[in-house]
Amino acid sequence: MSSAFSALIYNNSAHVDVFSAVKKFQQLQEERVHVYHLFNEGHKIYLGTAPQYEFKRFRDLVQQTTQDFKRISEDIIAIEKRLRAEFGKGNLADYIASIQEAEKHKLELTAQLQLAKQTVIDYPDEPEREIKIMELKQRLRNVVDRINEHLEELRFETADL
């Protein structure tokens, strides 16, 4: 087997592996969006149980959500490291790292927003709490926009794979 042919096979194999890694990242990102949706829906249900609040059910949801986010995050970090170290695709790994960082910030803001929504229910005579919710929603929209921009950049960079 000629060295040119071996190089071609190796390059095609690496190309397929990079494509597979990015595809897996996209699947995990879609799964993360789904987990967020379930988490937010569960929080709405929890708020609907005010003023007694069914804390145990919501706590169970938080634990499951935390486990799901942890697993997804670990898998994505592994993909990022593989793209960087094994395939020399630091540019793609950088996009994924930026998305991961923004997702971390999104989760923090989501928790703050959920607490703020509960305090509005618990203290309805304090309208300034509504302002806090509006501010958090705007910050959350900004983070989601940043995530979407990074995802679009990643799609653009990987369009030829």
Side-chain angles (χ1 to χ4, degrees), residues 1-117:
M1 185 181 313
S2 75
S3 61
F5 184 70
S6 296
L8 177 65
I9 290 174
Y10 176 77
N11 286 338
N12 283 338
S13 175
H15 179 78
V16 169
D17 287 344
V18 170
F19 176 79
S20 296
V22 171
K23 196 72 168 162
K24 179 64 176 170
F25 164 76
Q26 291 168 336
Q27 290 168 348
L28 289 164
Q29 188 65 19
E30 288 174 14
E31 184 179 352
R32 181 163 30 203
V33 168
H34 179 71
V35 171
Y36 263 113
H37 176 73
L38 294 176
F39 187 44
N40 287 325
E41 289 301 311
H43 186 255
K44 287 178 190 174
I45 293 168
Y46 169 72
L47 291 178
T49 64
Q52 287 79 21
Y53 295 111
E54 291 184 24
F55 181 72
K56 183 187 177 329
R57 288 181 70 193
F58 185 65
R59 184 188 65 209
D60 292 345
L61 175 64
V62 169
Q63 288 175 342
Q64 181 62 50
T65 300
T66 300
Q67 290 173 359
D68 289 344
F69 280 145
K70 182 177 187 278
R71 176 187 49 76
I72 291 167
S73 183
E74 288 171 350
D75 288 352
I76 288 175
I77 289 168
I79 290 168
E80 177 211 339
K81 288 180 178 178
R82 188 168 182 222
L83 285 169
R84 192 176 307 282
E86 189 176 329
F87 301 123
K89 296 290 186 180
N91 60 330
L92 302 181
D94 289 345
Y95 287 124
I96 291 174
S98 295
I99 292 165
Q100 277 293 98
E101 190 59 36
E103 286 287 357
K104 178 182 171 189
H105 191 212
K106 179 183 173 186
L107 184 56
E108 292 165 357
L109 289 172
T110 298
Q112 291 174 27
L113 180 60
Q114 288 181 348
L115 289 172
K117 286 179 177 180

Side-chain angles (χ1 to χ4, degrees), residues 109-127:
L109 289 172
T110 298
Q112 291 174 27
L113 180 60
Q114 288 181 348
L115 289 172
K117 286 179 177 180
Q118 184 173 339
T119 60
V120 165
I121 292 171
D122 294 344
Y123 304 99
D125 296 334
E126 299 178 17

